[in-house]
Amino acid sequence: MGRFSLWVLVFALVFVEFLVGIRCGNVEDVKVWPLPYSVSHGHKNMYMSGDFKFSSHGSKYSDASGIFKDGFSRFIELLNVSHVVDGNVSKYDNSSILVGLNVVILTDHDELQYGVDESYRLSVPSPEKPAYAQIEAQTVYGALHALQTLSQICQFNFTSRIIEVPMTPWTISDKPRFPFRGLLIDTSRHYQPVSVIKSVIDSMAYSKLNVLHWHIVDTQSFPLEIPSYPKLWDGAYSDSERYTMTDAAEIVSYARKRGINVLAEIDVPGHASSWGVGYPSLWPSNDCQQPLDISNEFTFKVIDGILSDFRKVFKFKFVHLGGDEVNTSCWKTTSHVSKWLKKQGISESEAYQYFVLKVQKIALAHGYELVNWEETFNNFGEKLNQKTVVHNWLGSSVAENVVKAGLRCIVSNQDKWYLDHLDTQWQQFYLNEPLTHITESSQQKLVIGGEVCMWGETVDTSDIQETIWPRAAAAAERMWTPYDKLANDTTRVTGRLAHFRCLLNQRGIAAAPVAADGRGTPSEPDSCFKQ
């Protein structure tokens, strides 16, 4: 090949690369969190009509429950939350005005359960006449995710004082990496009002987390009404720091409308001394109050009553039964329990297994599948029901061992995904990989996802959001975005995460600065985007 021909080839390749760059843009330009599965964009601006509305031409979804209509109303509110939109869009050429949104949802049912299809395709055209954005999704929950993405693409134009969609045309195809993407909140160590829980749910939806793990009760307090055993909530901190079952149903409904399941937990047999405030016979003795009295059949009747009442409100496939940090010394040192153990011919460790497996059977009878903390697997894994999901929080190799045993697993290893560990920075949250050392495809599928845990010892309404965010968002991208699209170098995503943190602030979520440890505050005056 001659020198001239070689230069022509080089120029052609560079020109093609330039054109591809115009069409696809750069990932660094995409200010969407979590990063979608596939993104392309251009370089032209569109402007949203003042009466931007949605239609559903070609959709099979009737929206009888109003889930999408409510979601669209929230989307419009998000666009208007930061600034007053008082500009006049009519001064722009009609071809640059985004008239509305057409939504095509391909299934009519809107039951929210584990494994629901959350995929979507979002497209925003370049200037054309008339111009409509388009969402295509299998379910309404995928369509809700598309609205969240679209809300992050849109921005307020300070010159025109209207909402613009920059860098059109956009084409985004998206789906989650894991079906279970959770956040735990703890309402026993500190009571969280219903309004605060709803705010947490809103913030979860912004980052596409889809399971609120509600650690409702613990040693310190029992704030939830249980109609079958009404004295249980005598263990609440005060009369005002309680939840009625109607409150619980409202939280579940509020979460469902945002595509979020509520995983309810009762942690037994340990972490349960608050139960005995109303029913002292649940304690082995007044002086030794937990684990719950295994020798008393009333203990299991109460658990059955709780799960019966749960089933009327908490419709998620799973219930969390705890099972962690069980110190069986009370059973040994309490006379009547010790005698029962001898009569049964079992040791304290065998009694621990007996208790967990019996409660599993009760939960199964109520139609639940089961989640237990990892100690249950570590102590008697092969005995657990095959419908058990093991919740890892201690050992780094537990998930690997769980899936080798053929059980499912949720990853929450405390050194990386515990939000109460204030010295754990967002970079560690981002880089924590649930599938570490799990290479077999069949075993990888048994890791159903992960969860960040906001234990409540040092959080109440004053600091819960700034302790959760933005570190939970770092984990949310790990759980949503395809592995090959995740950054190995966190400096590549720092700017995008800072942008998302500022977006949370604009939406009223008190997310801490990206540069802070834990729930830190700004160190000096500067732009939100540089903190």
Side-chain angles (χ1 to χ4, degrees):
M1 181 182 293
R3 180 175 296 179
F4 177 77
S5 300
L6 180 61
W7 278 110
V8 169
L9 177 61
V10 169
F11 176 80
L13 290 173
V14 170
F15 185 68
V16 168
E17 184 176 353
F18 172 73
L19 291 177
V20 170
I22 290 177
R23 178 69 185 108
C24 296
N26 297 313
V27 170
E28 289 75 10
D29 296 331
V30 178
K31 297 296 190 292
V32 177
W33 195 280
L35 188 68
Y37 178 84
S38 173
V39 184
S40 68
H41 68 81
H43 299 279
K44 296 182 179 180
N45 288 351
M46 295 287 286
Y47 304 93
M48 292 187 67
S49 168
D51 60 350
F52 189 82
K53 292 182 173 63
F54 79 91
S55 59
S56 53
H57 301 302
S59 180
K60 297 181 180 178
Y61 181 63
S62 63
D63 201 21
S65 58
I67 290 177
F68 187 83
K69 181 181 178 181
D70 289 348
F72 184 80
S73 296
R74 292 193 303 274
F75 163 75
I76 296 297
E77 289 173 4
L78 288 178
L79 298 185
N80 290 272
V81 72
S82 299
H83 303 282
V84 176
V85 180
D86 60 352
N88 186 0
V89 73
S90 62
K91 68 179 182 179
Y92 290 95
D93 184 272
N94 285 342
S95 65
S96 297
I97 298 174
L98 199 59
V99 177
L101 171 69
N102 190 54
V103 183
V104 178
I105 300 173
L106 299 176
T107 53
D108 188 38
H109 66 82
D110 55 21
E111 180 183 2
L112 179 63
Q113 265 301 349
Y114 169 75
V116 68
D117 193 317
E118 300 175 87
S119 64
Y120 67 89
R121 181 179 172 85
L122 169 66
S123 58
V124 182
S126 275
E128 60 181 50
K129 186 178 179 182
Y132 288 86
Q134 175 96 355
I135 290 174
E136 298 176 15
Q138 286 293 321
T139 70
V140 66
Y141 301 107
L144 292 180
H145 289 317
L147 287 178
Q148 292 295 344
T149 298
L150 182 58
S151 76
Q152 293 188 37
I153 292 172
C154 297
Q155 64 186 37
F156 181 78
N157 184 307
F158 281 89
T159 301
S160 63
R161 305 197 181 201
I162 58 178
I163 301 297
E164 69 176 8
V165 187
M167 301 192 302
T168 67
W170 286 92
T171 301
I172 298 176
S173 296
D174 207 3
K175 61 182 179 180
R177 181 184 178 202
F178 292 103
F180 186 108
R181 306 177 306 282
L183 167 66
L184 177 148
I185 62 168
D186 169 9
T187 58
S188 175
R189 276 54 179 259
H190 282 95
Y191 177 81
Q192 299 288 352
V194 171
S195 59
V196 172
I197 296 175
K198 287 182 174 181
S199 176
V200 170
I201 291 169
D202 285 335
S203 61
M204 290 175 65
Y206 301 153
S207 59
K208 299 184 175 70
L209 295 175
N210 71 345
V211 178
L212 176 69
H213 176 177
W214 189 3
H215 188 87
I216 306 172
V217 304
D218 209 293
T219 295
Q220 291 79 5
S221 72
F222 197 117
L224 180 66
E225 175 187 26
I226 301 297
S228 296
Y229 292 93
K231 292 183 180 180
L232 281 170
W233 72 353
D234 289 356
Y237 284 123
S238 68
D239 289 347
S240 64
E241 293 171 293
R242 291 174 167 177
Y243 308 100
T244 66
M245 267 298 180
T246 305
D247 292 334
E250 170 64 17
I251 289 168
V252 169
S253 174
Y254 191 89
R256 174 178 174 263
K257 290 177 181 177
R258 289 149 180 81
I260 295 171
N261 281 298
V262 178
L263 171 64
E265 179 180 1
I266 54 169
D267 197 347
V268 292
H271 291 276
S273 63
S274 63
W275 297 38
V277 175
Y279 296 98
S281 64
L282 294 172
W283 292 332
S285 71
N286 289 339
D287 298 325
C288 207
Q289 298 179 353
Q290 61 185 19
L292 295 171
D293 189 344
I294 191 172
S295 70
N296 188 350
E297 192 59 31
F298 179 64
T299 297
F300 298 101
K301 288 182 179 179
V302 170
I303 292 171
D304 182 66
I306 291 171
L307 292 176
S308 176
D309 290 343
F310 270 22
R311 202 61 183 143
K312 298 168 187 173
V313 172
F314 299 108
K315 303 296 186 179
F316 192 32
K317 178 178 183 177
F318 301 105
V319 67
H320 204 303
L321 302 173
D324 62 313
E325 297 182 319
V326 178
N327 181 347
T328 60
S329 60
C330 266
W331 291 344
K332 185 176 181 180
T333 58
T334 304
S335 176
H336 75 273
V337 181
S338 179
K339 289 179 181 178
W340 182 88
L341 293 176
K342 291 178 181 178
K343 183 178 180 180
Q344 301 299 319
I346 58 176
S347 65
E348 300 101 276
S349 61
E350 290 170 328
Y352 169 33
Q353 174 183 306
Y354 168 87
F355 196 111
V356 168
L357 297 184
K358 185 165 184 175
V359 173
Q360 284 199 336
K361 289 181 181 178
I362 294 171
L364 287 165
H366 288 289
Y368 281 118
E369 293 190 22
L370 321 161
V371 184
N372 279 102
W373 293 108
E374 72 170 68
E375 288 95 327
T376 60
F377 175 79
N378 297 340
N379 284 283
F380 39 91
E382 73 281 359
K383 303 289 186 179
L384 292 172
N385 189 281
Q386 284 297 304
K387 291 187 176 182
T388 303
V389 179
V390 178
H391 197 162
N392 156 240
W393 73 281
L394 284 170
S396 59
S397 62
V398 170
E400 183 181 359
N401 295 331
V402 168
V403 298
K404 284 181 179 177
L407 295 176
R408 293 168 293 178
C409 188
I410 299 167
V411 173
S412 292
N413 47 318
Q414 63 172 337
D415 60 326
K416 298 294 192 298
W417 276 1
Y418 266 31
L419 292 156
D420 57 311
H421 291 205
L422 300 180
D423 57 347
T424 306
Q425 298 178 320
W426 74 263
Q427 292 90 340
Q428 294 166 279
F429 277 78
Y430 188 90
L431 294 173
N432 188 42
E433 173 50 46
L435 298 183
T436 299
H437 302 312
I438 302 173
T439 57
E440 294 288 336
S441 176
S442 60
Q443 294 179 3
Q444 289 179 341
K445 292 177 182 177
L446 294 175
V447 179
I448 65 173
E451 178 179 289
V452 289
C453 298
M454 185 64 272
W455 295 106
E457 284 85 350
T458 64
V459 295
D460 61 10
T461 60
S462 69
D463 59 2
I464 185 170
Q465 292 284 35
E466 66 180 273
T467 314
I468 292 173
W469 308 104
R471 293 181 300 160
E477 179 153 297
R478 174 67 49 172
M479 291 185 271
W480 178 274
T481 301
Y483 180 79
D484 61 356
K485 301 285 175 57
L486 294 165
N488 294 321
D489 177 2
T490 56
T491 61
R492 290 177 51 202
V493 301
T494 302
R496 189 162 49 84
L497 181 59
H499 183 274
F500 182 69
R501 178 256 172 173
C502 296
L503 184 68
L504 291 177
N505 287 174
Q506 292 168 11
R507 295 177 177 183
I509 304 300
V514 169
D517 292 341
R519 53 171 174 259
T521 55
S523 59
E524 59 185 2
D526 208 335
S527 164
C528 173
F529 300 100
K530 296 181 180 179
Q531 294 174 346

